[in-house]
Amino acid sequence: MARSNYPKYSPPHQQINQPNLYIIHLTTLTHDFLGEPYFMETQLKNKPLHTPQWKLIEAIQTRWESLTKPSVTIDDKEEIRRNRLLSTMLLVVAMVGGVVLAQIIILRPASLTEPDTIFALVSLVILFGLYFVNRAGHTNIAAVVFISLTGILFVLMPFLENSRPTLLYFSIVTIILIGTFFSLQRLIVSAAVILVVMGVLLQVSPWLDSTGHKQVIEALQFMAFAIAVVVTFINHQNAVERIRRAELEDANAQLRESEVLLEQRVQARTRDLTVASDVSRRTTTVLEIDTLLPQLSTLTQQGFDLYGVSIYLHDPATGILRLAAETNVDDRTADNTNVVIHIHDQLGLIPQAARKHEAVVIGDTEQTAVFRANPALPATRSEMVVPMLVGDQLVGVLDLQSRQANRFSEEDKYIITTLAEQMAIAVRNAQLFQEVETARRAAETANETKSRFLANMSHELRTPLNAILNFTAFVADGVLGDVNEEQVEVLQESIASGKHLLSLINDVLDITKIEAGMMELFIEKVDIHAELTSAVSVGRGLIKEKPIKLLTEIADDLPTTYGDKRRLRQVFLNLISNAAKFTSEGEITITGQRWEDGVEVIVKDTGMGIAPEEHHKVFESFKQAKHDLTGTVGTGLGMPITKYFVEMHDGQIWFESQLGAGTTFYVRLPQLSQQDAEKINELAQMDQSCAD
Amino acid sequence: MMADQDLSFLYIEDHPASRRVMQLLLDVMGYSNLTLIEHTQDIIAQLEQTKKDFDVIFLDLHLSPLDGFEVQKLLRAHNRFGQAKIVALTASVMPNELHTVRQNFDGLIAKPLNYDTFFGYVTRILAGEPVWETS
């Protein structure tokens, strides 16, 4: 029994050579009540077990243990110890007392009727009773009763007529106490000596009855009892301390063990976190899915030191899981390029994990029929498949295989599941990036198509006008022969219509360029005065048929600035032609004056005006205000284009208008340096390409 | 402008009506020395065959097999033709094309050509002033 107990508990720091311990552990029989195999094992280490003496002790100890063990389960260790101590005391006292009483009765049967003997018998019965009460787990009740009875006895003793049973009783208690807390040898020796002495004194000596001797013996008994109590107390304290020390050492050992374990776990966790953080880094840095997946599988394979790692991507439309990346420990490659698994396949962990949305593990592939071997990984012993989920959406599965059976612990499962979630996010990001990239390319293509269209349109529309306008002009001018007045008039009308058509085409091309982000300004030095004057002179031509007075108040000191000369002229011309278009009679006043560093141009007409509800439409493409009064038509693009060019020169444009009373347009242009003008142009280009 | 009767013009243009317009324009202004070329196959050989020097070369941009930009490079590199003012005549509004024109040509006049302004531009170009009239 002791041998079989040996490996189960082995405090690493036993002080096996300490003398006080040595004394104690010889008394295996009695100190067993401490419930500590600890001493026993110390003994085993020091002394070989095959001596007959030891075998006897062992046998006694086994029996003793079963006799003193509480018959009910007690959880508290200290309580067990106390219980067993009491059981031992009660049993030993009762047994030895029984033997002594039996001896007295056999030697002198007449004593059976004497009150002392009856008293002793009753005491024995009470002791046995207490023993059973104690074994039933009522330690405190048994102890209190036992101590009370002993105390009563001690008080009553001097009054008893015949003190022999009392003497015996205390002798026995003394023997037991000495034996209990010293050693087996001492127990036997002292028991024998005391029994013999007492027996002789009681049975043989005639002078015992004299009061003097009786008192001497009683004094001796009392002393023995007192010594026993003191020794018991000291030993008890020692034992308690030893237990505590053993427990402390035990706890220390456990602490050290758990420290080692903890350290291992910290290392493992650090490794896992490194892998996880690598994955996270890839998530944010690698957006090409074809680059990302092999990196993730390699990272996982190396990070967790696995046999093989595969990543399958899930296509929700077809339910197919397609092998997307694979890393093996020795770079084995089987023809796995077209490995396709369906989510409803029965065999294998991959479809199972994909369906359940949770990690599935095969601890040992040789013990299961569900395993579906990967031809590239013939030596797989355990496999774990973890779904890659974003929310409840299955992105794919991560398949881990190891050559080691039961490679994947619960903790691994938890970590890899977390890792797979990160991978899922990485993959989803990459997929989204690809979608965006595809969309961007599509938009780019669309933009290219748009600009090709623009190129063709401008060429195809304006080339014929070259012939139409010029041939008509040649004919009208008589270059190709004489023409009469009516013909000239008609041909001039034709030229005017052609020019109008050209201006419409140019407006459409401009707005298309603006909207396609292809409008560029040619920045150069601009003399605002010159451009405004030039626009005014063109404007005069526009109104020469109408009863309109064109007034100008253009200051001579208008600044020069940087910008696109032609586009600024176009701005002024648009304002003037707009005024001309919507004014049937009256005045158009053009003012050019300094405004801060720059210039303010005001074009005021006495035309039809713009209704307040139409105001917001003035600068919107294709939304010309209603003008049924005159039937004037246009593309409605002039003002949006004008506003665009004003803003491209960091300027402002607005208007004031009253229906029927005319409209005044204001344009303010700051003076720009070449760098400023170029910067504004570049920024606008960037904005437009971003807006695309 | 007053015509300088000795000026020699070259116009490379695949659109027949546009060639005719140029011819009439120059006629009206009193110039008769105009060479017209329809396509750019072996363009230098074609030009050398004419045994002429040119003061002003008008170039359409959308030509084939070589486009106007390629032709301009060949002309500019040529020891005789490279001396001429090379002017792009184009209906294009594409910013990238216009950029390239500004970098390499002596001027740009948009099509349709404007009877009223055309010779003013040509005169300025001949005087060494670049003209960029895009529309």
Side-chain angles (χ1 to χ4, degrees), chain A residues 4-234:
Chain A
S4 71
N5 273 347
Y6 177 53
K8 104 181 167 194
Y9 179 70
S10 173
H13 298 282
Q14 289 175 351
Q15 304 293 314
I16 52 169
N17 290 322
Q18 277 188 9
N20 58 341
L21 273 182
Y22 198 69
I23 292 166
I24 295 296
H25 63 228
L26 281 175
T27 62
T28 50
L29 180 75
T30 47
H31 71 236
D32 174 63
F33 63 78
L34 296 173
E36 289 296 318
Y38 170 73
F39 301 112
M40 192 63 209
E41 281 167 24
T42 310
Q43 182 67 50
L44 286 175
K45 279 190 171 176
N46 286 329
K47 292 198 172 180
L49 265 184
H50 41 71
T51 60
Q53 182 201 7
W54 254 117
K55 283 189 177 154
L56 177 66
I57 289 171
E58 244 185 71
I60 294 168
Q61 191 190 9
T62 311
R63 177 59 50 87
W64 192 254
E65 195 175 304
S66 63
L67 281 173
T68 55
K69 211 169 77 180
S71 54
V72 294
T73 311
I74 299 172
D75 291 332
D76 186 12
K77 216 169 170 182
E78 185 69 13
E79 179 70 18
I80 293 174
R81 200 182 58 75
R82 285 177 59 223
N83 186 281
R84 297 190 72 165
L85 171 63
L86 193 58
S87 283
T88 306
M89 297 278 279
L90 289 167
L91 202 55
V92 172
V93 170
M95 280 166 63
V96 177
V99 169
V100 172
L101 262 178
Q103 183 195 7
I104 291 168
I105 291 164
I106 290 161
L107 286 173
R108 202 163 55 82
S111 66
L112 248 179
T113 53
E114 289 169 14
D116 283 5
T117 314
I118 291 163
F119 180 81
L121 274 170
V122 171
S123 299
L124 262 184
V125 171
I126 290 171
L127 283 176
F128 273 111
L130 286 176
Y131 162 74
F132 286 109
V133 168
N134 186 52
R135 280 199 71 195
H138 308 291
T139 319
N140 288 341
I141 296 169
V144 167
V145 174
F146 180 48
I147 291 164
S148 308
L149 286 179
T150 308
I152 291 165
L153 211 58
F154 188 71
V155 173
L156 287 178
M157 193 179 63
F159 303 101
L160 289 171
E161 202 181 322
N162 187 344
S163 60
R164 279 179 302 175
T166 318
L167 177 69
L168 273 173
Y169 174 75
F170 282 110
S171 305
I172 290 159
V173 168
T174 308
I175 293 162
I176 301 313
L177 289 176
I178 291 169
T180 302
F181 295 103
F182 286 98
S183 67
L184 191 66
Q185 286 93 327
R186 289 180 204 195
L187 169 75
I188 294 161
V189 170
S190 44
V193 169
I194 292 174
L195 280 174
V196 168
V197 170
M198 290 301 150
V200 169
L201 284 176
L202 286 169
Q203 300 300 326
V204 181
S205 171
W207 42 264
L208 187 69
D209 282 343
S210 76
T211 314
H213 287 102
K214 197 177 169 186
Q215 278 170 347
V216 168
I217 287 166
E218 278 173 357
L220 283 173
Q221 286 167 357
F222 181 76
M223 276 170 65
F225 181 69
I227 290 165
V229 167
V230 169
V231 170
T232 304
F233 180 74
I234 292 168

Side-chain angles (χ1 to χ4, degrees), chain A residues 467-480:
Chain A
I468 293 166
L469 286 172
N470 285 294
F471 287 152
T472 314
F474 294 141
V475 176
D477 287 1
V479 173
L480 301 172

Side-chain angles (χ1 to χ4, degrees), chain A residues 571-632:
Chain A
V571 165
F572 304 143
L573 193 56
N574 275 353
L575 293 175
I576 297 168
S577 68
N578 197 58
K581 206 190 298 179
F582 297 113
T583 309
S584 42
E585 56 181 336
E587 293 174 2
I588 295 173
T589 312
I590 299 159
T591 309
Q593 60 195 22
R594 288 198 77 113
W595 162 77
E596 295 182 358
D597 284 351
V599 65
E600 184 174 57
V601 174
I602 304 166
V603 178
K604 183 176 174 10
D605 66 50
T606 55
M608 58 199 282
I610 305 162
E613 65 269 23
E614 306 276 1
H615 281 196
H616 67 281
K617 293 183 182 171
V618 168
F619 293 120
E620 282 178 46
S621 304
F622 303 107
K623 282 191 182 165
Q624 196 174 54
K626 282 183 192 161
H627 34 68
D628 294 341
L629 286 171
T630 60
T632 313

